[in-house]
Amino acid sequence: MRRVGVIVVGDAKSGASVCKSSQQSGMASRPLLIWGEDCRFYRMWIEHFETLTKGNIGYTPLQTIGNKCPMVTRDELESSVHLLEKDGQIVSGARAVFGALACTAGRGWILWFYRRLPSLAIVSERLYRFVAAHRDILHCLSVFLLGSRTNQRC
């Protein structure tokens, strides 16, 4: 978990994704989840998250960020999702997923448990790394078990 003096303003739909100093622009109006647009697994689950969070969080593919956020390397962005919270804190992996879910009514308890149970945090991050390393096969498995929510196929 990192605390930096920058925030990302906007999201992919507004086309205004840019990192700025929190002193320059004030605090962000909502968290922003950065994800890898080229990944079918991420795309499928981001579409599901958008329906869950109902506008309480912004979403932007890392491809629209480019080099505008130098505090997070391209390799880091490609290896996991990143959540830029309203206070400028950047988190990634399972913590980012739980932070995004916490923006949904009735799901804040997930982040509460993550923060208070170190063993849950450790297991969650390991599971996240496993999923991230096997996204292609897990995408196919998700489509097989859940059906395709989009026109994506294996």
Side-chain angles (χ1 to χ4, degrees):
M1 178 164 40
R2 269 180 262 205
R3 187 175 199 70
V4 295
V6 296
I7 56 174
V8 173
V9 179
D11 57 40
K13 290 180 181 159
S14 70
S17 300
V18 62
C19 283
K20 294 185 176 184
S21 160
S22 56
Q23 290 85 9
Q24 292 173 331
S25 59
M27 301 310 283
S29 61
R30 62 185 179 159
L32 181 71
L33 192 72
I34 301 172
W35 57 283
E37 183 177 37
D38 295 336
C39 176
R40 298 177 300 167
F41 183 79
Y42 280 166
R43 181 179 297 281
M44 183 175 83
W45 286 104
I46 290 297
E47 289 174 5
H48 179 65
F49 269 48
E50 285 179 321
T51 61
L52 287 176
T53 57
K54 299 177 181 160
N56 293 326
I57 184 171
Y59 297 87
T60 193
L62 69 91
Q63 289 79 358
T64 63
I65 296 291
N67 295 328
K68 297 175 186 171
C69 291
M71 78 295 302
V72 181
T73 69
R74 182 74 175 195
D75 287 342
E76 289 174 315
L77 288 171
E78 289 176 353
S79 69
S80 66
V81 295
H82 283 70
L83 181 67
L84 284 75
E85 296 182 326
K86 291 194 296 187
D87 65 358
Q89 179 175 303
I90 300 173
V91 294
S92 63
R95 170 61 180 83
V97 172
F98 293 150
L101 286 173
C103 295
T104 305
R107 290 199 167 87
W109 60 270
I110 298 169
L111 182 57
W112 187 89
F113 277 111
Y114 177 92
R115 287 178 170 162
R116 284 161 183 79
L117 298 174
S119 58
L120 176 63
I122 291 167
V123 169
S124 298
E125 293 300 338
R126 286 185 180 159
L127 182 59
Y128 184 92
R129 284 193 302 273
F130 174 83
V131 168
H134 299 90
R135 288 179 278 194
D136 288 338
I137 190 71
L138 291 173
H139 173 259
C140 291
L141 184 61
S142 296
V143 169
F144 176 75
L145 294 174
L146 304 173
S148 180
R149 295 181 175 158
T150 65
N151 59 3
Q152 298 175 20
R153 301 277 186 254
C154 285

